[in-house]
Amino acid sequence: MANIFGLIVSGRLVQTDFTPVSETSLVTTILDVDSINHAVVFLTGATPLPAGTVAVVYWSWPDPAAPPNWQPLGHVSNAKPSAIFKISNLKKLHELSDENKFMGAFGQQQICHNAQIGISIEPEANAQLLPNSEAQQTYSYVTFAQKMLEHLVNFVASFSVTQEQMTPTPGVSYIPLNTLHTWYQNFERRLQQNPNFWKN
């Protein structure tokens, strides 16, 4: 797997010195990470990835008190030979919740005082489980839309009054609450059928 991958960080030379830690995993070290905002990982073209696989890219902040903790960034593949990853907004080890920790992604490792990028050759299906995958983004859109609509309906419902409680106010239009509920149910049904229907 030597020289299959390259790494570019701003203001530095291209790195291709990934060290194998297993048959399917490699790591490289990045010094002086405080000045890094983005990292680019790419296939050099020397050798394609095996059919049906992707290279999942992981990041680990330096932590002088603990072994590397890997955070998945995304992937590169023969069909997508390069990717830019935003590093500056990643959480450091002490800020991560337990479910986001991938401690064993690259086996048992020693404490490292530099940041590391790890690459793991994995089945293509694993790319859909990554934080930046299209499936995850679609899930995020659907979740956001549902929460936003629920809040809108709850907000409007908090102002509801019965017809007997209404006082006539000239120039003010009223919408029956059941109209809003019907609209919400139709919108949610369409969102479940096709999360991207609103783009058309």
Side-chain angles (χ1 to χ4, degrees):
M1 288 195 296
N3 298 325
I4 293 178
F5 302 100
L7 168 69
I8 299 174
V9 291
S10 181
R12 302 179 192 193
L13 295 174
V14 173
Q15 280 182 245
T16 57
D17 59 340
F18 285 83
T19 305
V21 290
S22 75
E23 288 184 25
T24 58
S25 301
L26 308 117
V27 296
T28 192
T29 300
I30 304 170
L31 305 173
D32 189 27
V33 293
D34 292 333
S35 63
I36 296 174
N37 288 320
H38 295 83
V40 177
V41 175
F42 61 93
L43 295 174
T44 62
T47 307
L49 291 172
T53 66
V54 296
V56 178
V57 180
Y58 294 86
W59 173 265
S60 176
W61 280 108
D63 187 337
N69 176 50
W70 299 98
Q71 299 176 59
L73 298 178
H75 76 282
V76 294
S77 65
N78 293 332
K80 179 187 163 199
S82 65
I84 300 172
F85 302 108
K86 187 170 184 177
I87 303 301
S88 58
N89 64 344
L90 292 177
K91 293 182 177 181
K92 297 198 165 107
L93 178 61
H94 67 278
E95 298 171 330
L96 288 173
S97 61
D98 285 337
E99 69 267 10
N100 292 327
K101 294 182 180 180
F102 290 82
M103 293 278 200
F106 294 91
Q108 185 64 31
Q109 290 187 285
Q110 299 299 314
I111 291 173
C112 182
H113 298 281
N114 299 305
Q116 293 180 306
I117 283 192
I119 295 179
S120 175
I121 309 301
E122 299 181 13
E124 205 168 7
N126 289 7
Q128 292 300 313
L129 305 174
L130 297 173
N132 296 327
S133 72
E134 189 174 322
Q136 289 285 13
Q137 287 176 354
T138 299
Y139 174 76
S140 295
Y141 293 147
V142 169
T143 302
F144 171 74
Q146 287 173 326
K147 294 297 180 189
M148 182 186 69
L149 294 173
E150 285 174 19
H151 286 285
L152 173 65
V153 169
N154 290 337
F155 176 76
V156 171
S158 70
F159 293 99
S160 67
V161 292
T162 64
Q163 195 165 13
E164 294 83 33
Q165 296 170 321
M166 290 177 65
T167 55
T169 309
V172 175
S173 300
Y174 294 95
I175 300 170
L177 191 58
N178 65 346
T179 302
L180 183 62
H181 278 288
T182 302
W183 171 82
Y184 171 73
Q185 290 167 347
N186 289 338
F187 190 92
E188 190 170 38
R189 179 182 42 77
R190 291 184 68 193
L191 198 61
Q192 292 296 329
Q193 291 171 346
N194 177 9
N196 297 312
F197 85 91
W198 55 271
K199 291 181 178 180
N200 297 332

